[in-house]
């Protein structure tokens, strides 16, 4: 599910955001993102080691950090998730209109995604992860097919010299990858309350992150190799531009329809995931205990009405965000990454520290 959810922000930000900062060396940004991602994974692993059966990250924080600190920290996270959900609605519609359906209205796409995501959040808890497992091989195949077919257009000179880029610029460019994959990891942990306990979280997740960073390095290298960093930095949708004129065996072309499929499925999964997480957090803050068995879709008891309220708030956010390119670029490349990094490296570590101070080793009451 983390892989599928990440593809929407990945194809929106990479490699444009990295090329603007690091130039021709920006294709190395995903590799530079691995150390800070592993650092955050240590924090997440430490929090989840406190987990009991039937708890997710939210329940762990509320129990160990206390209701006051837990409500403040989780409330900030939920607010950011609702803003992100609204932003996904807006950018998803804008991306389809600017690339595939220029004469269509954005409200139809936004309403459709809002309805689908709300139904998914109200449905069985395991339905979203199962759908993501079905989507994952399809989306990975689409991405790899588009990249492999673009290899003959790659000019190695566009990838060199990377020694002209300072280490500081390269590190800053890698933060886009850090905020995306750190974000999907803690979101998945928030709804992990039905998963069994396991003790190899760090090693298994670290291996997955290493594979992801390698894949994204290939992704960025192909696109920058095709056009060069300066041109990629000016594109609105570099990945879409790369595959626009790709042909297969000189007979099949216009495969950007497959890319549009990648966008829509990924937007659906990440929007639904954000709704599930935000509503789950708010139910904990208001004293509800999210059910451990599937509830009926129209059952609004036990705080499930908050799912609908969260969807409505996301729709309001989407409606209020201006649709011009400059504003959305500023939100995408500055506001969302800064808020996400604050959660990863300030809020969650602070909650971990509070948890450790409140419950010193051996002092927890069973």
């Amino acid at each position: 599910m983390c892989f599928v959810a990440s593809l929407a922000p990945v194809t929106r930000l990479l490699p444009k955001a990295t090329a603007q900062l690091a130039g021709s060396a920006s294709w190395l940004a995903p590799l530079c993102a691995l150390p800070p991602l592993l650092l955050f994974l240590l924090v997440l692993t430490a929090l989840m080691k406190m987990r009991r059966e039937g708890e997710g990250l939210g329940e762990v924080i509320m129990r160990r950090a206390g209701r006051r600190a837990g409500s403040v920290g989780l409330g900030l996270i939920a607010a950011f998730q609702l803003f992100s959900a609204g932003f996904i609605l807006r950018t998803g519609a804008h991306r389809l209109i600017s690339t595939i359906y220029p004469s269509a209205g954005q409200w139809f796409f936004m309403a459709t995604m809002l309805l689908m995501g709300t139904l998914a959040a109200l449905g069985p808890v395991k339905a979203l992860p199962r759908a993501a497992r079905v989507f994952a091989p399809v989306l990975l195949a689409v991405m790899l097919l588009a990249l492999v077919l673009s290899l003959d257009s790659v000019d190695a000179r566009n990838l060199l010299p990377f020694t002209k880029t300072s280490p500081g610029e390269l590190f800053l460019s890698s933060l886009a990858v850090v905020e995306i994959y750190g974000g999907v990891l803690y979101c998945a942990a928030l709804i992990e309350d039905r998963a069994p306990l396991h003790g190899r979280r760090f090693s298994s997740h670290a291996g997955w992150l290493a594979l992801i960073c390698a894949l994204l390095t290939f992704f960025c290298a192909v696109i920058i190799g095709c056009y060069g960093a300066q041109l990629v930095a000016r594109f609105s949708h570099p990945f879409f531009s790369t595959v626009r004129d790709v042909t297969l065996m000189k007979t099949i072309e216009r495969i950007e329809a497959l890319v549009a499929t990648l966008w829509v499925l990924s937007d659906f999964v990440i929007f639904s995931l954000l709704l599930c997480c935000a509503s789950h957090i708010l139910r904990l803050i208001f004293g509800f205990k999210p059910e451990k068995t599937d509830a009926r879709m129209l059952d609004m008891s036990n705080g499930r009405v908050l799912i609908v309220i969260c969807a409505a708030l996301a729709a309001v956010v989407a409606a209020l965000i201006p649709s011009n390119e400059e504003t959305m670029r500023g939100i995408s490349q500055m506001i969302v990454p800064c808020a996400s990094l604050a959660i990863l490296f300030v809020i969650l570590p602070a909650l971990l520290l509070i948890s450790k101070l409140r419950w010193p080793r051996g002092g927890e009451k069973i």
Side-chain angles (χ1 to χ4, degrees), residues 197-316:
L197 298 175
H198 61 88
R200 297 179 57 85
R201 177 181 301 273
F202 183 84
S203 58
S204 62
H205 284 61
W208 180 79
L209 285 172
L211 290 175
I212 286 294
C213 288
L215 175 63
L216 294 183
T217 301
F218 177 58
F219 175 84
C220 293
V222 170
I223 297 175
I224 293 174
C226 287
Y227 297 104
Q230 290 185 348
L231 191 55
V232 168
R234 294 197 295 267
F235 282 155
S236 296
H237 307 289
F239 183 47
F240 187 84
S241 300
T242 302
V243 302
R244 185 187 296 270
D245 297 320
V246 166
T247 60
L248 180 60
M249 304 297 289
K250 298 182 179 180
T251 57
I252 301 176
E253 55 183 17
R254 307 295 294 178
I255 67 170
E256 60 265 28
L258 295 176
V259 178
T261 301
L262 182 151
W263 285 342
V264 171
L265 294 179
S266 181
D267 283 342
F268 163 70
V269 171
I270 192 172
F271 176 73
S272 304
L273 176 62
L274 290 169
L275 275 188
C276 289
C277 291
S279 59
H280 188 92
I281 287 174
L282 291 179
R283 291 169 76 183
L284 292 175
I285 291 175
F286 287 111
F288 298 103
K289 293 184 177 180
E291 54 280 338
K292 306 305 177 185
T293 57
D294 291 334
R296 291 182 294 108
M297 183 171 292
L298 297 181
D299 181 7
M300 295 294 131
S301 63
N302 192 31
R304 279 173 55 85
V305 68
L306 287 169
I307 300 175
V308 179
I309 294 174
C310 286
L313 290 174
V316 171

Side-chain angles (χ1 to χ4, degrees), residues 344-359:
L344 300 183
F345 296 107
V346 178
I347 294 177
L348 288 177
L351 291 172
L352 173 62
L353 179 61
I354 293 171
S355 300
K356 292 288 187 180
L357 293 175
R358 290 187 76 249
W359 297 96

Side-chain angles (χ1 to χ4, degrees), residues 32-115:
C32 297
L34 187 56
L37 278 171
L38 294 179
L39 178 62
F40 167 70
L41 185 57
L42 286 173
V43 174
L44 184 62
T45 302
L47 280 167
M48 294 304 284
K49 279 184 178 179
M50 307 172 189
R51 178 177 174 245
R52 294 174 178 173
E53 192 73 36
E55 289 184 339
L57 178 60
E59 287 87 349
V60 171
I61 290 173
M62 292 294 283
R63 175 171 58 84
R64 292 294 298 257
R67 173 159 291 278
R68 181 176 298 177
S71 296
V72 172
L74 290 175
L76 291 173
I77 293 173
F80 171 70
Q81 289 174 334
L82 289 176
F83 178 83
S84 297
F87 186 61
I88 288 292
L89 283 179
R90 170 65 78 175
T91 55
H94 177 77
R95 190 164 46 185
L96 288 174
I97 292 171
S98 63
T99 55
I100 305 290
Y101 307 106
S103 60
Q106 60 184 357
W107 299 107
F108 170 77
F109 295 111
M110 290 170 58
T112 302
M113 186 62 67
L114 177 66
L115 177 61

